[in-house]
Amino acid sequence: MLTKNSYVLPTYARADVAFVSGDNATLMDSNGKDYIDFTSGIGVVSIGHGDNILAHTIAEQAKKIIHTSNLYYIEQQEWAAKKIVEASGYEMKCFFGNSGAEANEGAIKIARKYGEVDGEAKRYKIITLKHSFHGRTITTVKATGQESMHNYFGPFPDGFVYADGIDDIEGLVDDHTVAVMIELIQGEGGVQPVDKAKVQTLAAFLKSKDILLIVDEVQTGVYRTGEFLASNLYEIEPDIVTLAKGLGGGVPVGVVMTTKKDVLSAGDHGSTFGGNYLSSTAVMTVVDYLKNYKESGELDEIIIAFSAKLDAVQKAHSDLFSEAVGFGLMRGLRVKDAETLTKIIDASRDAGVMVLKAGRNTLRFLPPLTITKTEMNEGFKRLEKAISSL
Ligand SMILES: Cc1ncc(COP(=O)(O)O)c(C=O)c1O
């Protein structure tokens, strides 16, 4: 076996485990040990590991054609966009890229072009939240409000303004403001839902000022919160929505969708890989699959069961966990301190269940949406074992 980081840059503090196969929410490592996966590759493997239908559709597509570039018509991309737009319930069109950061870059470009008058940047400022996370490119790092993300890499693009919380956004609006970009449940910021009534009030205010509302649904999108979009759950009508993570079930894809269908024209934006045959086929399969899964009631059923389990863990260990947070299968337990959180994550891995950290003090759960009750029960049994070993 090659030694870790012999050829790969050391940008991740990786755990000492390598997975070799998976079946739904169960992973197998290189030593033959199995784990219940409460992470789904950070919210990506939405329909589980090793799904036969997804494997079959992308393999069949790959045998025919994987990629042609966006210089030619790609019917699968059109189908993928139709399925996404219909599932969202909004009157929008899509642009396909390859990641969450890239989707957000697209959103920022659409907003900035929307703010131009006769080619001049009249309105260009975008307000984001201090505890947000919007990606790792130079622009999305700057869009991210967390100060710690602004070390090195400067100079950054101008035009981002940070609000402490949703209540402070209105006061920061000026004549140059073109958009507000928020996550409805901050993921990396610590599984922190934003208040629904406040978001609705903000959305109405922005509409009255012709300021665009961009909702970053890279993590919350594609049924993660129980609805196709968290925006559906919050009953708002954003101008721009971004998606990535769960959309391709593990095949890299990012989407920016907008009601402002005519802002970008040919040549304004592009991506070599974006929406190629392979990723579009994955999107079609995943969206169809999850739509049926939601309509059958199974998604809601597992969400209820998962919530009950999480609440029970919180109550049984209220000395460790102050509260259970989040929606759908984007959940967290607030841990009293960061050191205990690290210990729980390490002990969980030893006990055979994978969990995540979010923010400073949140134990995060992002299982595949298709996790079975048996896998879920086993995962919580192992978590209990990990907690009692502390
Ligand atoms: C809300 C949000 N936006 C953007 C991103 C960046 O996505 P990617 O890593 O695919 O670029 C993430 C990733 O965690 C995210 O959670």
Side-chain angles (χ1 to χ4, degrees):
M1 214 197 246
L2 285 173
T3 318
K4 197 159 68 175
N5 295 341
S6 336
Y7 295 94
V8 174
L9 290 174
T11 56
Y12 290 96
R14 297 177 200 268
D16 222 359
V17 58
F19 297 111
V20 291
S21 66
D23 181 5
N24 200 28
T26 307
L27 282 166
M28 193 66 79
D29 77 7
S30 48
N31 297 318
K33 175 176 166 178
D34 66 81
Y35 302 76
I36 298 298
D37 184 10
F38 281 166
T39 76
S40 65
I42 323 188
V44 167
V45 189
S46 49
I47 64 170
H49 297 281
D51 181 73
N52 280 334
I53 301 170
L54 181 59
H56 177 76
T57 56
I58 61 179
E60 286 307 301
Q61 183 58 55
K63 281 189 233 164
K64 282 191 240 160
I65 192 164
I66 293 181
H67 180 89
T68 59
S69 89
N70 278 301
L71 297 177
Y72 313 108
Y73 177 58
I74 303 166
E75 192 179 352
Q76 279 80 345
Q77 189 181 118
E78 208 57 57
W79 275 108
K82 177 175 156 64
K83 286 174 192 291
I84 292 168
V85 168
E86 285 179 357
S88 78
Y90 301 135
E91 229 340 281
M92 292 188 175
K93 282 189 182 179
C94 300
F95 173 88
F96 287 82
N98 311 284
S99 67
E102 209 185 320
N104 287 337
E105 288 271 346
I108 293 163
K109 281 180 78 173
I110 293 169
R112 286 199 170 180
K113 185 145 187 241
Y114 184 72
E116 281 186 9
V117 178
D118 300 330
E120 246 186 84
K122 287 283 184 212
R123 296 196 296 146
Y124 56 90
K125 285 189 188 168
I126 299 179
I127 302 173
T128 67
L129 294 176
K130 282 234 165 95
H131 290 286
S132 57
F133 182 77
H134 297 298
R136 296 282 192 167
T137 61
I138 291 280
T139 302
T140 55
V141 154
K142 194 65 200 299
T144 294
Q146 300 173 52
E147 201 47 60
S148 62
M149 297 281 291
H150 304 156
N151 298 329
Y152 329 114
F153 315 125
F156 292 100
D158 283 337
F160 293 99
V161 178
Y162 311 117
D164 283 331
I166 202 93
D167 295 326
D168 306 299
I169 291 178
E170 202 175 315
L172 292 172
V173 165
D174 66 20
D175 290 348
H176 299 295
T177 308
V178 72
V180 166
M181 176 153 84
I182 53 170
E183 298 154 86
L184 294 173
I185 306 169
Q186 294 180 331
E188 302 310 304
V191 194
Q192 189 64 57
V194 183
D195 182 79
K196 181 173 171 177
K198 287 183 181 177
V199 171
Q200 290 179 338
T201 307
L202 174 70
F205 166 74
L206 297 177
K207 210 137 257 171
S208 74
K209 300 273 177 204
D210 189 30
I211 294 171
L212 303 180
L213 176 59
I214 305 171
V215 182
D216 177 344
E217 297 239 23
V218 165
Q219 192 160 150
T220 54
V222 200
Y223 297 103
R224 177 55 58 187
T225 66
E227 298 298 331
F228 182 68
L229 299 177
S231 298
N232 302 134
L233 196 67
Y234 274 64
E235 298 173 289
I236 53 167
E237 307 230 322
D239 303 285
I240 303 176
V241 171
T242 56
L243 297 170
K245 287 189 181 287
L247 185 60
V251 176
V253 61
V255 161
V256 53
M257 58 198 286
T258 181
T259 55
K260 306 294 177 199
K261 298 174 183 174
D262 303 321
V263 171
L264 295 182
S265 33
D268 282 344
H269 197 38
S271 162
T272 298
F273 292 120
N276 73 10
Y277 289 83
L278 188 76
S279 60
S280 294
T281 300
V283 170
M284 285 160 63
T285 309
V286 168
V287 174
D288 276 348
Y289 188 108
L290 290 177
K291 189 165 172 281
N292 290 335
Y293 185 62
K294 166 76 182 170
E295 282 168 5
S296 72
E298 287 171 275
L299 176 61
D300 294 338
E301 212 180 288
I302 196 73
I303 287 173
I304 291 167
F306 203 92
S307 303
K309 281 280 178 194
L310 212 59
D311 286 343
V313 174
Q314 190 274 321
K315 284 202 179 72
H317 301 283
S318 53
D319 53 325
L320 285 181
F321 306 118
S322 57
E323 59 174 332
V325 289
F327 292 122
L329 290 178
M330 180 170 180
R331 308 302 299 260
L333 289 171
R334 294 268 189 267
V335 183
K336 60 178 186 182
D337 60 65
E339 200 191 320
T340 311
L341 174 58
T342 308
K343 282 190 192 151
I344 296 171
I345 292 172
D346 292 345
S348 296
R349 195 172 57 247
D350 292 345
V353 56
M354 303 305 293
V355 281
L356 291 161
K357 177 180 181 215
R360 215 172 26 82
N361 65 343
T362 304
L363 183 66
R364 179 165 47 154
F365 300 79
L366 291 171
L369 303 178
T370 52
I371 188 169
T372 63
K373 282 201 184 138
T374 310
E375 287 172 321
M376 180 190 77
N377 291 337
E378 182 60 29
F380 277 103
K381 211 164 87 187
R382 293 179 187 189
L383 181 66
E384 192 60 52
K385 190 173 155 206
I387 293 167
S388 20
S389 77
L390 291 180

